[in-house]
Amino acid sequence: MDSFPDTRPSSPGRHLRIQGYLENLNGEIRTLLADNSLYTDIINKLKSDLNVYQRAFSDVNAELDRYKTQMLETEKQKEDLEARLKGHRVVTLIDGDGAIFSKELIVQGQAGGLIAAQKISDSLIQHLSERYGSHQYQLWVYVFLNKKGLMETLGRLGSPQLKNNFEDFVTGFNQAAERFSMLDVGNAKEAADAKIKCHLEDDIRLPQTFKVIFAGCHDNGYVTNLRSQITAGYKNKLILLKSYAEMASGIAEMDLPILTIPDLFVAQKLGVTEVAASRFPSYSNATIVGETKETNKQIPANPQIVSPPTSYSSVTAVPYKRDSTPDLDFSEGSTSGESDYDDDLPHNAVVAAMASPNSSSQSFSNSRYINPNIPLWKHKPPPCTLFYLASCKHGSTCKYSHDYYLEAEHYEVMRENAKKQPCPAANRGEVCTWGEECCYGHYCSALSKCHFLKQGRCKFSGANMHKNPSP
């Protein structure tokens, strides 16, 4: 049976229920709309906060990048500092009064100075690279010299061109590189030595100093300083730069590596041949006396007979460069003894005898030269103190030699060491006829502080020989 819709009028209760449902639905919709507005505000606020945090993050990220960059730069600086502290700094110390640059370089003036600096730079880099590997070696070169004295010496050698060009040579050397310096220390005694010793002491102890190249091998005066550095543990930092063909004996015995730069320095000491020939051209067949044998050195002869220097003062009147010479040790040898001393010979007679053309010291046709590597008293035979400083009464029968050619430095050493021996007349309590010009000592150098005097063993035994001399 077909059903038909209920067309009966709705009851009031049903209508009320529907109306209630609609009102509830409407309320929920309103609540949802209100919540949506709230949530929209929350979302907008969160978006705003997000933007703030994003900007902050971006700033922090940028700062982090900056810190990373700075850290990389710091690491690089640290590596550079460590490399510098590890050391590839090479300091070269040259005693320019003894290690004299070659005439071929000096005569070129400024160009020669540039060439000399380039020779040093190239040779050092090559030597270091071959033995210690390739590194960024930083070269400091110091040359200390008495410029005026060296120029005068070059002039006395009959080389005016060398003397005139030397100033330009120094300029060229100093302009070759920022760390290459040729410095004039003046004519003070051992001024160059003092500078070099100070730099050696300071530079070799720096951790960044890799090597010290020492070019003072001609002078035994540096032996003590070099041995001190070796004892302190710096032997591995030392390299010797050879100038003369022969090094001083004390330095040659140190067993240090030796570097030679060809054609950079003169091979022979100025004054051994050239100065002698220029001062005393009649010297011929001269010999340099060694420890075991004599080596003949021919010097051009001149038919004119020239007398040798007759006194210490006449020799010192000529400027010279004094190299260190070992002190004469009278305990091991002497150039003349007390028995040779003629204290009765008047001073005027001695001077006359020395100046006389018939004097035995008139000609040095067979003179011998002092070997700079051994003390005076070790020469065989040693030079006679009385002959060179006063007058020797033994003449040709003297057991000491009268035929050495002495430089001013040798006279000075003989004079200083003769003063260490007591004057026989003063030692006997007598008046010395030579007075202040006596070559022997009238006072003990230690005076009242003499250690041997207290033991009764001082050889200065005369009265008042340990008291301060009256002014």
Side-chain angles (χ1 to χ4, degrees), residues 268-278 288 297-299 369:
Q268 299 294 332
K269 177 180 177 182
L270 296 182
V272 171
T273 54
E274 295 166 290
V275 172
S278 63
I288 295 180
K297 285 201 172 185
Q298 298 293 332
I299 298 178
Y369 284 98

Side-chain angles (χ1 to χ4, degrees), residues 41 101 160 198 226 259 280 306 312 350 364 409 434 438:
D41 292 340
F101 288 92
C198 181
L226 292 172
L259 168 64
F280 310 108
V306 180
Y312 171 75
V350 175
F364 277 6
E409 61 208 69
W434 289 67
C438 179

